[in-house]
Amino acid sequence: MVDQILGAAEIHVPRTGGTSRTETLRSAGLAFKSGRWHATANWNSRTYPKWQEWFTWSFRRDPHEVVLSTYFYRLNKLTEPNVHIIPSGISFNEWVSIMGTVETKETPAWARGLEIRTHLPYWLVNGKPGIKVLYSFDDMESAWNEITDRLGVPGIELPHTNGAAASEGH
């Protein structure tokens, strides 16, 4: 998401709370838009000439948590006709074992997904870091306070709008 007026952009990596942050900043009257959902730093740097001068950031999340979040999001939050809905009866362990294999033409749509791959490509421009700040998902509250302060809209509460509740035992 980018705001060319402010000269600021977030590299929204899947399953790191980007939807909540984008909606909240838009509600605060900032002009954040998604030129391309989940666009990489490399794509943004080619699309926006002043990218290197902007305040740019992203969030990292523990890979295990990304896998859990993706599974429960697809299982509990997606609705028809989304092709990534996990069919009932597919356990977390079955899904992970299928997701861990190489995708082929025969791989069902519900077992495909960028979400569980490494986040590193999102942050690079020509093989080098392409963002100014990388925040931890585990420290969302203080990161959010720093971001909103830098954007000139301090004190905005961040709701949890797109979360996927996990079940016990995982």
Side-chain angles (χ1 to χ4, degrees), residues 25-129:
L25 291 173
R26 286 180 184 158
S27 295
L30 300 180
F32 277 95
K33 65 174 184 152
S34 298
R36 180 175 167 195
W37 204 244
H38 298 142
T40 64
N42 195 40
W43 184 87
N44 278 311
S45 72
R46 291 189 319 267
T47 305
Y48 304 103
K50 296 189 177 216
W51 171 263
Q52 295 303 323
E53 300 169 19
W54 291 2
F55 168 50
T56 55
W57 73 93
S58 189
F59 280 82
R60 64 173 172 75
R61 187 173 186 183
D62 177 271
H64 183 256
E65 292 297 319
V66 172
V67 172
L68 279 171
S69 179
T70 301
Y71 174 77
F72 287 109
Y73 176 76
R74 289 181 175 189
L75 187 69
N76 299 324
K77 291 285 235 174
L78 295 181
T79 58
E80 297 289 347
N82 192 302
V83 298
H84 293 293
I85 295 172
I86 298 171
S88 62
I90 302 294
S91 72
F92 176 74
N93 289 338
E94 290 173 293
W95 180 76
V96 168
S97 68
I98 293 168
M99 293 295 286
T101 62
V102 175
E103 284 186 18
T104 67
K105 290 187 293 186
E106 289 76 36
T107 304
W110 57 265
R112 297 175 188 218
L114 184 58
E115 291 94 319
I116 68 164
R117 297 184 188 143
T118 178
H119 291 166
L120 186 60
Y122 283 95
W123 305 318
L124 300 178
V125 175
N126 299 321
K128 296 181 178 152

Side-chain angles (χ1 to χ4, degrees), residues 148-166:
T148 55
D149 284 349
R150 287 191 72 167
L151 298 176
V153 288
I156 300 173
E157 187 174 325
L158 181 63
H160 190 197
T161 59
N162 207 18

Side-chain angles (χ1 to χ4, degrees), residues 1 10 12-13 15-23 37 140:
M1 69 176 179
E10 175 177 358
H12 176 183
V13 176
R15 309 307 316 145
T16 61
T19 299
S20 296
R21 291 187 302 273
T22 300
E23 290 175 3
W37 204 244
M140 181 74 71

